[in-house]
Structures are given as structure tokens and as C-alpha cells.
Amino acid sequence: MSDPAINAQESFEEKHLLDYYRKIGSETWVESGVVWNSIGFKIFRPTPPFKEISLSCEDLRSIWNRGALFLHYFTSDNCCYTPGWILLVQDRNYNVDSIQSPNRRHNIRWALKRSAIEPISIDFLKKVGHLHLEDTCNRQGRPFGEAMLQEWKEYLHAIENNPLFEAWGIFNSGELASFQVYYSSGGGRHIDVTYSRTHLLKNHPVDALVYAYTHNAMSREEVAYVSYGRRPLIGEKSSLVSFKESMGFKQVPMKERLEVNPRIKAAFFGQLKSVYGLVAKTFSARSVKCQLMSGVCETLCHQVK
């Protein structure tokens, strides 16, 4: 017999996830008890992202009829897959000693003594968050302009009154040095975005904030884990993965499955796949869609029995 409390929580999360995705303009729907949303180019993923999913032929037929071109999810089925992972902290005793690097442990202790870390309102981020977004984009070589700024405003509007979301910030001498936004799903907390001011990075704000929030979250009875993301389709810099692991997040191996709509399957499993992959990779620096298509082709090439 199903647990009424668990069913109520799942219904609560489903309602507010759908509301969030619709407000940011992402196509979303529920299929087989799972919330799916498009990350672009009709590529759909489930939330929570780590949930292992088994889809029947009937499920897939219904999804393809909704207009999806690709499904990217984790599965326990005996099928072709790409070795994937998700980064988690599940240790109730997570503390500074969980940090792998001695230098990082020292930096976190140093920052905690000289900083204020606390929950912050979305209204506050509306006033100052764009400065951190711009700094972060400039450091990472990503374009920042009116389109990015509008997307940021829509994101804040979507999460402003959504009970699944919370934000924390770290302050140096009263100035917001860095902040993160988190969402609740599947019994855990997921780190969604991280932005910071470049001139304050010398004070190690990101390290201290990640540690402080994770330590706090794992002390809450209702939180089973904190997630720092999964292997993205567009790839992730090894230095960023190393940073997350050094903060005590463990790579949990997962079977990553990429399904292709039968209407376009021939193009991706025939000779055109290498052409698509080459063109997408060539122009990936200029277009998010090209990055996604490059990731799709790369993942399909590595999908094994």
C-alpha cells in the first residue's frame, strides 16, 4: 500500500515543478508519474534528474506523440546506455573534515570566520543578482547581454513564490560575494545556480557557501541528500568536477539512456550522424542548440550494451 504522506509530497512537488517550468517557458508535462521538461531542441529530461526510469513501448509512444525528439534519463533496464553519474552528499555527518583538500579545508575555515552566510530573498536577488551573473559569464567566456538578462529576470519571477526554491548568500563586509539557488525534489536539495563577484573570489566565498549550505541541509531530517548535478549532455570541465568532488560530493555511477524519436532515428544512426556531430561540434561555441546536438551525437556514439 502506498504511503499517503509520500503521495501528497510527490503531488505537491509535481504541481510546483510544472508551475516553474511553464513560467520559464520550458515545455513540460507528466508522463508515467514523472515530470519531464525540455532543456532545448525537444530534448526532455525528468525531475528529479537522478530517478531511475523504466519506460514501456506504450509510454514511449505517448511521449513521441507529445512531440519530444529525445529523452535523456537514468534507467536500471537492461538496454544500451552511456556510463553516467550524479554528484551527491548523503552523509549525515558531513562537516569540514569531509572536504578532501587540506588547502580547501583551510580556506573554508578562514572564510567562515570572516563572512556571514544566510538565506536571502529572491526580491534581494532581483536588485543585485545581475551583477554576479555578469561577472560569472565574463569569467567563463559566456556572452552576457539583454537576452541573458531577460532570461535571468524570468527565472527569478518563476521561483519567487515557489516553495520548492530557496537561495543562500555569503557576505564579505556587507557585500554579497556569492549566492546559490537550490530546489527541493525527490527528498533532496539540488544546487541549481551559482554566481559570484570576481573581485571577492580571493575570499573563497563559493567554497564556504557550498560547504555551509550542504552542512545545514544534511542536518535537516527531511533532507536525504544534496546534489551538485549530473553529467551534462554538453559536457563538463574536469576542473569543475574536481572542485565538486573536493567539496565531498561523491560520483554515483548511473546508466544514462538517450532515446531518439523513431521519426528521426534513421538520421542519427546512419551516416548522417557523423555529419550532424561534426557540424554541431564546429558551431557549438556560438550556439546552445549546437552544443546540445553535439552532446546528443557524442552520447549516442558512446551508448553501449
Side-chain angles (χ1 to χ4, degrees):
M1 183 179 294
S2 61
D3 187 326
I6 293 176
N7 290 341
Q9 179 62 25
E10 289 177 347
S11 177
F12 176 84
E13 288 184 6
E14 180 182 297
K15 173 181 181 295
H16 290 290
L17 282 171
L18 290 171
D19 180 63
Y20 162 68
Y21 287 132
R22 285 165 182 158
K23 282 184 176 178
I24 63 171
S26 174
E27 187 176 352
T28 184
W29 26 260
V30 178
E31 184 67 46
S32 303
V34 178
V35 175
W36 297 84
N37 81 287
S38 174
I39 60 172
F41 211 77
K42 296 287 186 178
I43 302 169
F44 284 80
R45 274 183 175 172
T47 304
F50 73 90
K51 185 175 183 178
E52 290 183 319
I53 296 171
S54 180
L55 296 174
S56 67
C57 292
E58 185 177 336
D59 292 332
L60 288 171
R61 191 178 304 111
S62 176
I63 289 172
W64 301 140
N65 287 338
R66 289 179 180 270
L69 296 182
F70 305 94
L71 295 178
H72 189 217
Y73 61 98
F74 291 134
T75 185
S76 58
D77 291 348
N78 182 23
C79 59
C80 294
Y81 69 94
T82 298
W85 46 260
I86 188 165
L87 288 162
L88 298 177
V89 164
Q90 298 171 291
D91 184 5
R92 288 284 177 200
N93 299 313
Y94 178 85
N95 55 39
V96 176
D97 292 330
S98 304
I99 309 303
Q100 295 181 5
S101 163
N103 285 338
R104 204 172 295 284
R105 285 198 298 270
H106 170 78
N107 292 340
I108 289 172
R109 289 191 176 104
W110 184 93
L112 291 175
K113 292 177 181 177
R114 295 163 175 81
S115 309
I117 301 175
E118 60 193 42
I120 55 177
S121 70
I122 303 306
D123 188 55
F124 178 61
L125 287 183
K126 285 183 175 181
K127 298 173 184 175
V128 302
H130 63 283
L131 301 173
H132 304 70
L133 172 62
E134 183 174 7
D135 266 12
T136 303
C137 286
N138 289 338
R139 283 199 313 274
Q140 297 176 350
R142 292 189 289 152
F144 178 83
E146 284 302 318
M148 175 71 77
L149 191 57
Q150 182 59 34
E151 188 176 301
W152 170 243
K153 291 177 180 178
E154 291 171 358
Y155 174 75
L156 292 179
H157 173 70
I159 69 175
E160 186 172 17
N161 296 307
N162 193 313
L164 300 184
F165 289 81
E166 62 178 325
W168 281 45
I170 178 169
F171 295 82
N172 295 152
S173 301
E175 183 178 0
L176 182 64
S178 181
F179 68 86
Q180 290 188 314
V181 176
Y182 320 87
Y183 69 91
S184 171
S185 181
R189 298 295 183 272
H190 303 257
I191 299 175
D192 197 28
V193 300
T194 306
Y195 297 121
S196 53
R197 295 307 305 270
T198 301
H199 69 281
L200 293 173
L201 289 179
K202 60 186 178 183
N203 297 324
H204 315 292
V206 178
D207 306 45
L209 180 58
V210 171
Y211 166 74
Y213 178 82
T214 303
H215 177 70
N216 177 279
M218 291 309 299
S219 71
R220 306 181 209 172
E221 185 178 346
E222 74 276 12
V223 178
Y225 63 88
V226 176
S227 167
Y228 214 153
R230 56 175 288 171
R231 186 195 81 87
L233 263 179
I234 60 175
E236 184 132 83
K237 291 182 179 179
S238 58
S239 58
L240 184 55
V241 176
S242 296
F243 164 72
K244 294 176 180 180
E245 290 181 320
S246 75
M247 291 299 300
F249 288 80
K250 310 292 185 185
Q251 272 199 34
V252 179
M254 304 290 283
K255 291 169 67 174
E256 189 177 310
R257 174 74 177 160
L258 185 64
E259 295 276 3
V260 184
N261 190 311
R263 296 185 183 93
I264 63 170
K265 203 166 189 174
F268 280 87
F269 285 92
Q271 294 182 349
L272 285 177
K273 180 174 66 174
S274 58
V275 177
Y276 286 144
L278 178 60
V279 172
K281 196 167 186 178
T282 302
F283 294 97
S284 62
R286 307 179 196 176
S287 164
V288 174
K289 284 188 176 181
C290 283
Q291 289 178 10
L292 286 173
M293 291 315 302
S294 176
V296 165
C297 294
E298 191 79 13
T299 299
L300 286 173
C301 286
H302 290 90
Q303 197 154 267
V304 297
K305 288 282 189 184

